[in-house]
Amino acid sequence: PITTGKVLFGVILLVLGWFFSRWLSGFVGRRLVARFRITEGAGAAVQTILFYVLAVTFALFALRLVNVPLTAFTILGGALAVGVGFGSQNIVNNFFSGLILLAERPVRVGDVVEVSGITGTVQRIGARSTWIRTGTNFEIIVPNSTLVQTNVVNWTLTDDKIRTSIRVGVAYGSSTRDVSRLLKKAAEEHGLVMTNPEPFVIFNDFADHALVFVLHFWLQMRSLGERQRIESDI
């Protein structure tokens, strides 16, 4: 039978178990960081998982002590299972998307990619997400499903050669042939610009205050910052 004393003792056990679980998980997390020199993030993850395991264990023990049958929570368990199933859809989707990325390799570690207007270098492809480091040293965490289901510009998928361009405006009355010759010479004399295909210049526009020319040239795309430095040099 369920008595008042058992219920009171069960509540006390739940409260004590809660505090003991929090203390023990925190103690273990700190010891792991100090003894094995793991990162604080990994220690926090171990601490959180251990806390939930201990809390559930104390809760089940308290219910068993009060003689509350676990079958009373069958409906609640079913509802919880359905909720977990719906909540884990994205996790499973990202996991299989990661397997697709590793198998087909449309995006590889070291590739320079552009996703949703953000350009960076792929650092790691994990089970759930891909880490991309931008030119400003920001790390962007992109779900794997995003790389599978949306358009991704991979600058270095089959090779690292790209064509880029620079717009230059000169005053009206300037020698257009000299402008074309000097722009092409500036590209050809840069050591990191490819000579095959060779650079070429196109007249682009009669602007309000300038004649606009565009210099096109090819280079090897090692990083976004290097491309911008070459464009700046020319």
Side-chain angles (χ1 to χ4, degrees):
I2 299 177
T3 63
T4 305
K6 288 183 178 180
V7 172
L8 182 61
F9 185 72
V11 172
I12 294 174
L13 184 62
L14 281 175
V15 174
L16 293 178
W18 177 274
F19 285 105
F20 178 75
S21 300
R22 185 171 294 277
W23 173 82
L24 182 60
S25 60
F27 176 76
V28 172
R30 290 190 298 269
R31 288 298 298 271
L32 287 176
V33 172
R35 186 182 182 103
F36 297 101
R37 296 181 180 179
I38 64 176
T39 62
E40 293 186 1
V46 172
Q47 177 179 339
T48 302
I49 294 173
L50 182 60
F51 168 74
Y52 284 128
V53 170
L54 290 174
V56 171
T57 301
F58 276 106
L60 293 176
F61 181 70
L63 292 174
R64 180 64 179 172
L65 187 66
V66 181
N67 290 331
V68 175
L70 297 180
T71 54
F73 298 93
T74 303
I75 298 178
L76 179 61
L80 181 63
V82 173
V84 170
F86 280 109
S88 62
Q89 281 183 342
N90 289 333
I91 298 177
V92 175
N93 185 17
N94 288 320
F95 175 74
F96 282 102
S97 296
L99 296 180
I100 293 174
L101 292 176
L102 294 174
E104 293 187 355
R105 305 189 70 193
V107 174
R108 302 159 301 186
V109 174
D111 284 349
V112 180
V113 299
E114 181 179 346
V115 183
S116 301
I118 299 174
T119 303
T121 304
V122 177
Q123 299 292 314
R124 176 174 176 269
I125 300 177
R128 189 196 66 85
S129 59
T130 297
W131 299 4
I132 299 175
R133 187 184 298 275
T134 66
T136 53
N137 205 34
F138 290 152
E139 291 181 331
I140 309 298
I141 311 300
V142 180
N144 290 331
S145 59
T146 300
L147 300 177
V148 174
Q149 298 174 0
T150 61
N151 294 331
V152 178
V153 179
N154 192 334
W155 297 79
T156 56
L157 179 58
T158 56
D159 57 57
D160 56 359
K161 294 190 299 183
I162 65 166
R163 193 186 77 180
T164 184
S165 61
I166 299 174
R167 291 170 55 89
V168 177
V170 297
Y172 277 94
S174 302
S175 172
T176 57
R177 296 193 180 277
D178 286 343
V179 172
S180 299
R181 178 179 57 83
L182 291 174
L183 286 175
K184 186 176 180 180
K185 181 181 178 182
E188 291 173 342
E189 291 183 351
H190 196 286
L192 297 179
V193 173
M194 301 179 63
T195 57
N196 185 23
E198 63 178 11
F200 61 94
V201 180
I202 292 178
F203 175 74
N204 182 256
D205 189 20
F206 289 99
D208 293 338
H209 304 288
L211 300 171
V212 180
F213 291 80
V214 180
L215 169 65
H216 296 273
F217 56 94
W218 292 78
L219 52 85
Q220 290 182 307
M221 181 72 169
R222 296 185 178 92
S223 67
L224 181 62
E226 185 180 40
R227 169 193 167 188
Q228 292 174 338
R229 283 194 297 269
I230 295 174
E231 292 175 348
S232 176
D233 290 343
I234 295 177

